[in-house]
Amino acid sequence: MEIHIARDGEQFGPFPPDEVRRRLTDGTLLPTDLAWAEGAIGWVPLGSLPNLASPASPVAPVRRPTPFPARLPVITSRLVPPVEPSLPVAFRKSGPAVASLICGVLSVSFLPVILVGIAAVICGHLARGQIRRGGGMVLGEGMATAGLVTGYFGIGLSILVGIVLASAIFFSGTALPFVRDMAVKEKATKSLANAKAIATACHMYALEHHDVFPRTLEDLVPKYLPDRTNLTCPLTPEMAVGYEYFGGTAMDTPDKALFVSKYVDPRGRRIIAHVDGSCVFEIPATP
């Protein structure tokens, strides 16, 4: 056990107990000097420390203490009580270690930004170097290690989030149009089936009305077109009748449009039913 001595705001030592006893005997040290040793709760008068007085060499009272010799190590810092009772006053915590831990926690909890994780890693390495150079007098090895671990994890998390976002953007820009086209084709197929049923009903009506098609498509319901939902185009399900009807007679030009869908896709295609009963999904011919 070594003893730190303080007098008039300055610190001296540390000294082994035998050296302290000797200096108490020759008057270099006084019982009223402040002392601190490992395990003490704070600075106390030197004379209150146990096992310092030697029975064979009682401490003689001295009015004026002898100055410390120049050869003794002198700590010129002001008197500061130890931060922790079990640690010498020279111990201190590493600032970069604290910063590394804070940045590391932020990088994996609140701010998944890669820059925060990088800051945690840089501060962690700086702290570990500072601790190694401190010769055991700088604390914070655990905080630096935790900051490095969370920092590297935060960097990996940021990279993963970036990959997911990039993939989502790529998928929305390439795959979604394909999916949308497939959905349109499926609805167009159902619309062609409805148009075929309507065209067939028009010809059945014409057979009973001197080859004249009905005035409106609603005239086909229910005798010639029992299911009224066939008038709805799946491409425009919100409309009760999804087709523009032109009428005419069964004797008209076969490729003349009998009716077309009100829906027009981005390419300009529509469902077209001809007088001959054929139905296609294409761009209407210019009159």
Side-chain angles (χ1 to χ4, degrees):
M1 177 187 69
E2 293 190 331
I3 302 172
H4 297 259
I5 306 297
R7 180 190 297 167
D8 298 329
E10 295 185 347
Q11 298 180 30
F12 307 90
F15 306 111
D18 292 341
E19 179 72 11
V20 173
R21 292 191 191 96
R22 186 178 68 80
R23 299 217 168 264
L24 280 171
T25 302
D26 63 18
T28 304
L29 298 177
L30 293 177
T32 57
D33 290 334
L34 294 179
W36 179 83
E38 184 176 0
I41 60 174
W43 293 94
V44 297
L46 180 59
S48 65
L49 292 180
N51 302 324
L52 286 182
S54 173
S57 302
V59 179
V62 179
R63 292 183 178 180
R64 178 177 295 178
T66 304
F68 281 100
R71 62 182 179 84
L72 291 178
V74 178
I75 302 175
T76 58
S77 61
R78 301 296 295 174
L79 176 62
V80 178
V83 178
E84 297 180 15
S86 60
L87 297 177
V89 292
F91 279 74
R92 60 188 177 88
K93 291 183 179 179
S94 171
V98 177
S100 175
L101 180 60
I102 294 174
C103 291
V105 172
L106 290 177
S107 69
V108 299
S109 56
F110 303 108
L111 299 174
V113 180
I114 193 170
L115 293 180
V116 182
I118 292 175
V121 171
I122 293 176
C123 290
H125 285 295
L126 289 176
R128 296 186 71 176
Q130 185 183 61
I131 293 169
R132 285 195 299 268
R133 293 190 299 270
M137 306 300 288
V138 182
L139 306 177
E141 179 73 22
M143 290 186 294
T145 301
L148 285 172
V149 172
T150 53
Y152 279 119
F153 183 80
I155 292 174
L157 181 63
S158 298
I159 294 175
L160 179 61
V161 170
I163 293 175
V164 171
L165 291 177
S167 300
I169 294 173
F170 175 80
F171 180 79
S172 62
T174 57
L176 287 184
F178 173 77
V179 174
R180 187 166 50 248
D181 288 344
M182 291 296 295
V184 169
K185 288 182 179 179
E186 180 180 357
K187 292 181 179 180
T189 300
K190 295 180 180 178
S191 295
L192 286 171
N194 284 4
K196 186 67 176 178
I198 296 171
T200 301
C202 286
H203 279 276
M204 293 173 61
Y205 181 96
L207 288 176
E208 298 181 3
H209 294 80
H210 308 288
D211 294 330
V212 177
F213 292 130
R215 184 176 57 86
T216 65
L217 293 180
E218 284 86 346
D219 295 339
L220 298 173
V221 182
K223 182 177 180 180
Y224 304 99
L225 193 65
D227 189 358
R228 184 183 179 83
T229 59
N230 285 329
L231 297 178
T232 302
C233 177
L235 292 167
T236 52
E238 68 280 0
M239 298 181 180
V241 179
Y243 304 94
E244 296 180 16
Y245 178 65
F246 306 116
T249 69
M251 306 304 295
D252 292 337
T253 306
D255 59 354
K256 176 187 174 182
L258 178 60
F259 59 85
V260 298
S261 65
K262 296 178 182 179
Y263 169 83
V264 183
D265 79 345
R267 301 179 186 177
R269 296 179 300 177
R270 305 173 76 171
I271 301 295
I272 305 173
H274 299 107
V275 171
D276 63 359
S278 61
C279 299
V280 295
F281 183 46
E282 61 183 26
I283 300 174
T286 304

